[in-house]
Amino acid sequence: MNLTGSYTLVISGVSDPVQTPPAPAPAPVMQQINIEIKPGVPEQPPINPKSKGSIPVALLSKPGFDAFGVDTQSLTFGRSGNEHSLVRCFKEYRDVDGDGLPDLLCHFDNQMTGFEPSDAAGRIKGRMAAGGQFEGQGYLKVVPAKRK
């Protein structure tokens, strides 16, 4: 048997592999957190937008959210939550709400928060040091300046 010569190989029933585009990256998840504006003050703490000074805001830890993992430099707080009003955050443990978890207490410049008389809530936004974003809101009552 002599096997020399040219051969042609024909393959049928096979198509080119279809190139599927990669799936789009999922939208970042915005974690909702609890905050307390002016901890220790009644449910709707009064805010006078004309006052000088700062507004204390506690970021409350809960299962799935460790307030001490917050990138404090990313914090914004005020009327919309986009106001760059951060003054400072305390580094020590404070259990503001009595649940045994460490809460983060920060101060925000009162006049930079942009609150208006019709506002009923303050909003905070930020990032975790390990990645991920969060936002939260707390109730307040905007009060007019006292007349002299």
Side-chain angles (χ1 to χ4, degrees):
M1 181 185 235
N2 187 357
L3 298 174
T4 60
S6 3
Y7 294 90
T8 302
L9 177 63
V10 177
I11 300 175
S12 62
V14 177
S15 60
D16 288 336
V18 176
Q19 296 291 331
T20 53
V29 175
M30 183 68 73
Q31 183 177 9
Q32 298 298 311
I33 68 164
N34 296 323
I35 65 171
E36 192 171 324
I37 299 171
K38 290 189 174 182
V41 174
E43 290 181 17
Q44 288 186 313
I47 302 291
N48 180 342
K50 301 294 183 194
S51 293
K52 296 193 185 303
S54 64
I55 302 171
V57 178
L59 285 73
L60 306 176
S61 290
K62 64 180 180 179
F65 177 75
D66 177 6
F68 278 86
V70 168
D71 171 5
T72 57
Q73 295 304 307
S74 72
L75 292 175
T76 54
F77 171 76
R79 183 171 200 263
S80 70
N82 296 316
E83 294 79 7
H84 294 276
S85 58
L86 178 67
V87 174
R88 70 181 173 283
C89 291
F90 293 100
K91 296 190 185 301
E92 66 271 3
Y93 165 92
R94 292 174 189 241
D95 183 11
V96 172
D97 57 355
D99 64 357
L101 299 173
D103 303 314
L104 179 63
L105 184 62
C106 299
H107 284 258
F108 297 87
D109 184 279
N110 186 57
Q111 293 183 341
M112 293 179 72
T113 58
F115 289 120
E116 295 182 4
S118 61
D119 293 332
R123 292 169 179 74
I124 195 163
K125 294 181 182 179
R127 293 186 309 270
M128 299 301 290
Q133 299 177 343
F134 62 86
E135 65 183 3
Q137 74 174 11
Y139 295 104
L140 53 81
K141 181 177 182 175
V142 178
V143 296
K146 293 181 181 176
R147 297 193 182 252
K148 295 182 180 183

